[in-house]
Amino acid sequence: MNQPQERANSKRKVRCLVIQLTRLGDTLQSLMALRAAKQLYPELEIYFLARERFAAAAKNVSWLKEVITLPTESILDPIITKQRTEVETLGELARWVSPLVKERWDFIVNWSYSNSSSFLTALLPGRIKLGYTRRLDGSFAAEDGWSHYIQAIVQGNVEQNIHLTDILTTQLLTALQISLGEPQECGNLAVTSKSFFSLSLENPIWTDPRKKWIGIQLGASHESKTWGVENWASLASLMLDRHPDYSIVLLGGPQDKKKTSYLLEYINQKYGETSPERRRVLSLVGQTDFELWARVVGSCSWIIAGDTAVIHLASVLGTRVLNLSIGGVRFDETGPYGNGHYVIASSLPCDACAGEKNVKHTCREDISAEAVYATWTYAASEWAHNREIKLDEHFSQFGWLDRLGKVRVYRSMIRAADCGGGVVFEPQIKSSIRFCDWMAQVMGHVARAWYCGWTPRIGTELSREYISPGLVQNLRQLDESASALAKTLIEARQVATALSRKSSFLKSDKLMNIDDRSELRALGQKLLDIDSFIDRFGKDSKALLPFIRMFKVLMHNLRGQMLTDLGKESAESYNQLAQGVGILRDWIKHTLALARPVAVKGARVISISRGKELI
Amino acid sequence: MGTDIRLITGQVAAIESSKEETDVQALLLGFLKALVEEQKFVPDETAEQ
């Protein structure tokens, strides 16, 4: 019997309900995080709750104890079509909830991070709850530190660079470690693999090792995230012209059929309907259920796609991805997970991505077919050049260096455990780091300090060559306001501590003498004044907004009932924020020091006139 | 419908005494209303598959 099985048998089963009521991409990311947890804690019995129409992925995972589905269509459609009222439907929903309420859950992990799921989490009895829920009075609550971070930062549209899969994994493993103790040793078992799903479908076309497939997913959940079909056609044409060893399989839903027709017509006209090139293009658009889709994606050498579920499916199955990051998505958080994936994004400002309404996503047009093709050929030939050739040199060989100016290209890498682990996207083109990307690194560092208890050295992934004069100027300005915010937070902590101490000596929060009441009132008022002052920092400096959002979330989630507990918790929250702002200031200091001109020591200078070396 | 709600209320209250004060019906209704609202933003799964 192997070691994980022994532990699983010897330990009491731990019943864990995971609520994932969002979409397929989130489901796949959740499954990746759960695979890691199951490997480390085999005693976990994982029950996975998903919407019926997004449950197919989970149903093909053998190590889940059970997949519970929420029949949203049958419950919600009569309400949406006004055949029934919400109150009339309540009974049906209650019947669905009833078996879940009867269970005794050790863990309820709500990874939906949605309003609806917070109500469901509150309804179910669980020893430990993670994610969003509701308090006894029905008000919204985030149960743990990472949930605060997701609410304030990730869902607050603040740039940060920790991948969602890493957040979920760390959140769950931390809770398991606190509750169940150290995990079992299982070395570095891979979380992703071709055998992630138990698929019964066998078809020689997808198992022939001589055949090399490139999967192209034409659509995405929103039009803004999709690349133009004429671009896909040009890309396919470049591949067909120059890579006779590769075939292309087109993937997508029924709504992508129009795009598919355009693309196939383009190929037909260019090469002929019976040409060898045309025979190397297969369309499965609108024809794949989950099992076929997973089989095909797992058999491809590459998947090229926008921000859509297929990049997570490919990540799970260990298929390499070239992700076209289009339309205001953040690949740091939701890009392909694993080693050696590539991401290509526009390097130019896009008003729509910046939040402007009724304007086009110009980022879609900045990424040319040539840029995607050159990036793919660079990535696919890594084995030959071992990345000793730079990406810009590779573009130059095609004469397409001008295409590189409009894009940023990144390569994913899993950090070593002693560097903090998790996925990081390394830039492949030398260019100045943008302020938002710098801030994303800072926020990632702050989150690790807050919730992991361990942080890498400041600026490990920041290089001097990426620092621009503009960034230096921004940071100098930011340092002043960050310093003022840090001082204010420390003052707030002191007042909250005084409030807690003072109230701890009182027998009641309501009955007290007039002097005590006056003193408490004065402290309370002072804290309110400081709070409104803290709020102003977010209005004056956009860069400090993440801390102000976090401040609001932390204050909303105080749990204490008595004044002394509330004061103590508030002091801890101010302290947490002050620590975060302190890390921000350390980053500013480090970056400004890095940008400072450095004298070259001991340079050997050769005098041309005398032909002698001068030291 | 009423029977279901009472059933749920009883089960929750028995399992977790801290839930006694919770208005289970309000939580269920909140769940349903939020699901209806969110349904408008959840695209068809085939859009991604």
Side-chain angles (χ1 to χ4, degrees), chain A residues 509-546:
Chain A
D509 274 0
K510 288 173 185 161
L511 292 172
M512 63 189 81
N513 68 43
I514 293 171
D515 288 347
D516 287 337
R517 182 173 294 270
S518 302
E519 197 178 335
L520 280 178
R521 272 195 181 155
L523 285 168
Q525 187 56 50
K526 193 169 181 189
L527 209 50
L528 282 176
D529 293 343
I530 295 175
D531 280 358
S532 54
F533 189 56
I534 289 172
D535 200 25
R536 288 224 298 272
F537 279 95
K539 294 186 177 95
D540 296 341
S541 166
K542 203 182 161 198
L544 294 178
L545 200 56

Side-chain angles (χ1 to χ4, degrees), chain A residues 23 51 53-54 86-87 94-95 98 101-102 115-116 119 122-123 125 136 217 252-253 255 288-290 293, chain B residues 1 4 8 11-12 15 18-19 22 24 27 30-34 38-39 42-49:
Chain A
R23 298 185 318 211
R51 284 172 190 261
R53 56 190 186 140
F54 294 131
E86 282 158 353
V87 174
R95 274 190 292 279
S98 183
V101 176
K102 284 180 197 161
N115 192 26
S116 64
F119 288 102
L123 272 167
L136 293 177
Q217 184 90 16
Q255 73 292 340
T288 51
D289 57 8
F290 178 80
W293 190 45
Chain B
M1 183 196 81
D4 292 319
I8 300 291
Q11 284 161 356
V12 174
I15 290 164
S18 65
K19 281 282 187 297
T22 308
V24 173
L27 285 175
F31 180 36
L32 186 59
K33 280 178 182 287
E38 287 165 15
Q39 189 73 355
V42 179
D44 190 339
E45 87 274 27
T46 52
E48 295 193 275
Q49 188 170 297

Side-chain angles (χ1 to χ4, degrees), chain A residues 448-520:
Chain A
R448 286 191 180 91
W450 281 344
Y451 308 121
C452 299
W454 181 90
T455 53
R457 204 162 43 83
I458 282 176
T460 314
E461 286 158 5
L462 184 67
S463 170
R464 176 187 163 82
E465 59 200 337
Y466 296 125
I467 303 169
S468 68
L471 179 68
V472 169
Q473 200 180 352
N474 270 336
L475 295 187
R476 285 198 180 119
Q477 285 170 2
L478 178 59
D479 196 30
E480 279 179 35
S481 41
S483 165
L485 177 58
K487 281 179 193 156
T488 310
L489 288 166
I490 289 165
E491 192 190 351
R493 183 188 66 193
Q494 287 163 347
V495 176
T497 306
L499 190 72
S500 176
R501 274 202 197 126
K502 179 70 195 168
S503 53
S504 69
F505 293 116
L506 301 173
K507 287 182 181 167
S508 160
D509 274 0
K510 288 173 185 161
L511 292 172
M512 63 189 81
N513 68 43
I514 293 171
D515 288 347
D516 287 337
R517 182 173 294 270
S518 302
E519 197 178 335
L520 280 178

Side-chain angles (χ1 to χ4, degrees), chain A residues 28 32 191-194 196-197 311-318:
Chain A
L28 291 163
M32 258 195 277
V191 169
T192 59
S193 72
K194 295 283 179 202
F196 192 97
F197 298 107
I311 65 171
H312 305 301
L313 181 63
S315 301
V316 161
L317 295 170

Side-chain angles (χ1 to χ4, degrees), chain A residues 148-158 160 330 443 546 550:
Chain A
H148 299 157
Y149 185 75
I150 287 190
Q151 189 188 352
I153 307 297
V154 179
Q155 294 186 332
N157 280 329
V158 174
Q160 65 88 38
R330 288 181 293 188
M443 287 318 297
M550 198 68 198

Side-chain angles (χ1 to χ4, degrees), chain A residues 140-273:
Chain A
F140 180 88
E143 283 287 278
D144 59 290
W146 278 113
S147 300
H148 299 157
Y149 185 75
I150 287 190
Q151 189 188 352
I153 307 297
V154 179
Q155 294 186 332
N157 280 329
V158 174
E159 301 273 354
Q160 65 88 38
N161 75 345
I162 308 182
H163 197 280
L164 200 57
T165 302
D166 289 324
I167 291 180
L168 301 182
T169 309
T170 312
Q171 182 192 29
L172 180 55
L173 289 182
T174 306
L176 292 172
Q177 196 175 359
I178 292 167
S179 177
L180 306 179
E182 288 298 317
Q184 72 165 20
E185 288 294 328
C186 62
N188 289 318
L189 285 178
V191 169
T192 59
S193 72
K194 295 283 179 202
S195 59
F196 192 97
F197 298 107
S198 311
L199 304 173
S200 55
L201 179 77
E202 289 297 337
N203 185 328
I205 190 172
W206 304 116
T207 49
D208 183 352
R210 293 163 301 174
K211 202 102 171 136
K212 290 203 282 184
W213 289 96
I214 300 164
I216 287 180
Q217 184 90 16
L218 290 169
S221 57
H222 299 283
E223 193 58 27
S224 64
K225 293 184 187 179
T226 59
W227 206 32
V229 65
E230 58 293 343
N231 284 327
W232 284 122
S234 302
L235 176 66
S237 171
L238 283 165
M239 288 169 160
L240 292 171
D241 283 342
R242 299 168 187 228
H243 301 271
D245 49 336
Y246 277 98
S247 297
I248 294 172
V249 54
L250 303 176
L251 300 164
Q255 73 292 340
D256 296 321
K257 282 185 175 170
K258 202 172 161 189
K259 287 178 187 165
T260 312
S261 303
Y262 175 94
L263 198 151
L264 292 177
E265 186 55 33
Y266 178 91
I267 304 279
N268 286 343
Q269 285 197 3
K270 182 165 180 185
Y271 302 103
E273 284 180 38

